[in-house]
Amino acid sequence: MKKILAINPGSTSTKIAVFEDANLVMNHTIRHSVEELSPFPKAIDQLDYRRQLVLKTLADKGIPFEFDAIIGRGGLLRPIPGGVYEVNEQMVYDLYHAKRDHACNLGALIAYNLAREIKNCPAFMADPGVVDEMHEIARVTGSPLMPRITTWHALNQRAIGRRYAKDLSAKLGKKIKYEELNLIICHLGGGISVGAHSGGKCIDVNNALDGEGPFSPERAGTLPSGALIDLCYSGRYTQHELKKRICGKAGLAAHLGTVSCPEIEERIANGDEHAKLVLDAMTYQVAKAVGALTPALFGKVDAILVTGGIAYSEYVTTQLIERIKHIAPVAIYPGEDELEALALNALGALTGEMPINTYTSLEAAPWATADAQLN
């Protein structure tokens, strides 16, 4: 039996879980208040603070500090193919010097620091948001200055793809692998990413962080470029303020002052026509994104999978299914469990089911540079 510690740092929390093989033993969320984080100018400065809290939580829960592997959430590295990576010194260096400072950069670093204290315990990272397996044709835009790049929910999308393959195998009574399926997977959360999966890779997906694809609870998605340029030169906003208008103060938050779908649905039930229009428009844009990806799979779509927190909303999923069910069967997997996804990746690496990849420095195609991806 393999004992695995999974670590998922977020902006105001550090989620940890202990698994024995695929069985959950302990799950806990460490909350971080603004006051507690205020002494740290950058997220990367919180490394030792969060590491100590992980150790304290394990001790408080009576979990012995003995693991076969420790896996952390992936950070904002250079673009890499999906899969499991053993954390090495090059990855540690790149995370410390990442162009974008974010709490997700701490996951692999905490795992690496903790694993070094245990004999023969590897530290892993799997499917970070910068996974890039897009076909070359999908990168080209109308401007050579701005090729398409990806920042998306790689960990959850790929985990849901594998989960659907397992469910399909049970239904059909024969082994079906995720790598054998053509899938369109929609992650509906604070950001929305819609990806075309084929041969075990996501061959096309929107940049769910920096302004591409459907708008979401807090992100603007694709905007009219001419109007955006005019706004940039209007003098009304600073560069930082405009960035927040793309990611943060955008989407449902900008239109309706909330990111809560249940709250918006209550407003709709009470006759708020504007709230209905905006939520319906977001759902409509997701459906359009699904349809737009069918050429990536030459129209051969085995299933469309819908996941993320918004997938709990029957209001949204019912409308979405009506618009896309003609393309392929639709399966709903509400929520996301990144800790379980991390643990299953680590287990697959330990058992040999998944290859362990080696992270190297900038040895990728010319477009895959840290500046191009992370600025």
Side-chain angles (χ1 to χ4, degrees):
M1 183 175 291
K2 303 297 183 182
K3 189 177 177 184
I4 298 164
L5 172 63
I7 304 169
N8 180 8
S11 298
T12 59
S13 69
T14 303
K15 299 176 182 179
I16 65 173
V18 175
F19 290 80
E20 291 179 352
D21 287 344
N23 302 310
L24 178 65
V25 174
M26 185 275 289
N27 189 335
H28 184 76
T29 298
I30 306 167
R31 303 291 180 185
H32 311 298
S33 68
V34 173
E35 292 75 21
E36 289 168 338
L37 297 181
S38 61
F40 307 104
K42 297 180 179 179
I44 198 69
D45 300 326
Q46 301 166 18
L47 175 59
D48 189 61
Y49 164 75
R50 297 207 193 203
R51 173 184 172 277
Q52 293 296 334
L53 286 176
V54 170
L55 289 172
K56 181 180 184 302
T57 300
L58 292 172
D60 291 346
K61 298 289 185 181
I63 304 291
F65 190 59
E66 301 168 352
F67 299 100
D68 295 290
I70 302 177
I71 185 165
R73 177 186 179 187
L76 299 174
L77 295 158
R78 69 168 180 84
I80 55 176
V84 182
Y85 288 79
E86 185 161 5
V87 183
N88 57 21
E89 291 184 3
Q90 183 63 59
M91 184 184 294
V92 169
Y93 178 88
D94 284 0
L95 287 170
Y96 266 111
H97 297 87
K99 296 286 185 177
R100 184 170 288 165
D101 184 54
H102 191 279
C104 68
N105 292 334
L106 296 170
L109 294 176
I110 297 173
Y112 182 76
N113 275 267
L114 293 178
R116 294 175 71 184
E117 300 179 22
I118 304 173
K119 187 176 181 180
N120 298 324
C121 177
F124 294 127
M125 176 208 69
D127 292 333
V130 293
V131 164
D132 191 333
E133 301 164 332
M134 286 203 302
H135 284 175
E136 290 301 309
I137 197 171
R139 303 186 194 283
V140 182
T141 71
S143 171
L145 298 175
M146 292 177 280
R148 291 183 66 231
I149 59 175
T150 62
T151 306
W152 59 294
H153 305 90
L155 180 63
N156 193 47
Q157 281 205 27
R158 291 166 69 98
I160 292 301
R162 295 188 186 101
R163 182 174 165 187
Y164 174 77
K166 183 178 180 180
D167 291 346
L168 187 62
S169 298
K171 180 179 179 180
L172 298 179
K174 63 178 182 178
K175 180 69 172 179
I176 305 292
K177 295 182 178 180
Y178 156 68
E179 291 80 5
E180 299 170 345
L181 297 170
N182 282 349
L183 303 170
I184 295 177
I185 306 180
C186 311
H187 178 104
L188 311 183
I192 290 176
S193 60
V194 184
H197 296 245
S198 181
K201 296 182 178 181
C202 185
I203 60 175
D204 197 353
V205 64
N206 64 297
N207 183 339
L209 180 64
D210 282 336
E212 188 186 32
F215 72 84
S216 73
E218 59 183 32
R219 295 169 195 171
T222 300
L223 296 171
S225 55
L228 180 59
I229 292 171
D230 290 341
L231 191 61
C232 290
Y233 284 89
S234 69
R236 294 170 57 191
Y237 302 99
T238 65
Q239 180 184 13
H240 176 73
E241 289 170 339
L242 281 170
K243 287 280 190 178
K244 295 297 288 185
R245 294 283 176 169
I246 290 175
C247 180
K249 296 179 180 180
L252 298 181
H255 281 287
L256 302 174
T258 181
V259 297
S260 169
C261 279
E263 180 182 334
I264 295 169
E265 289 175 37
E266 184 177 351
R267 286 161 61 173
I268 294 171
N270 291 329
D272 189 331
E273 290 297 324
H274 180 61
K276 183 179 189 306
L277 174 64
V278 173
L279 188 57
D280 289 357
M282 186 184 78
T283 306
Y284 174 65
Q285 288 197 6
V286 175
K288 281 178 43 175
V290 171
L293 281 179
T294 57
L297 302 172
F298 293 91
K300 298 176 182 178
V301 184
D302 294 307
I304 301 165
L305 313 182
V306 181
T307 183
I310 299 175
Y312 283 111
S313 168
E314 288 188 18
Y315 181 92
V316 171
T317 57
T318 298
Q319 284 197 50
L320 184 58
I321 290 170
E322 282 300 307
R323 291 189 180 275
I324 63 177
K325 64 183 181 181
H326 65 283
I327 298 172
V330 181
I332 309 296
Y333 291 91
E336 57 183 300
D337 193 338
E338 292 183 328
L339 290 170
E340 181 183 31
L342 287 169
L344 291 176
N345 273 280
L347 180 62
L350 291 174
T351 60
E353 183 180 344
M354 296 183 181
I356 300 173
N357 298 296
T358 300
Y359 179 84
T360 57
S361 194
L362 298 176
E363 297 177 358
W367 51 265
T369 66
D371 286 343
Q373 293 288 330
L374 299 179
N375 275 342

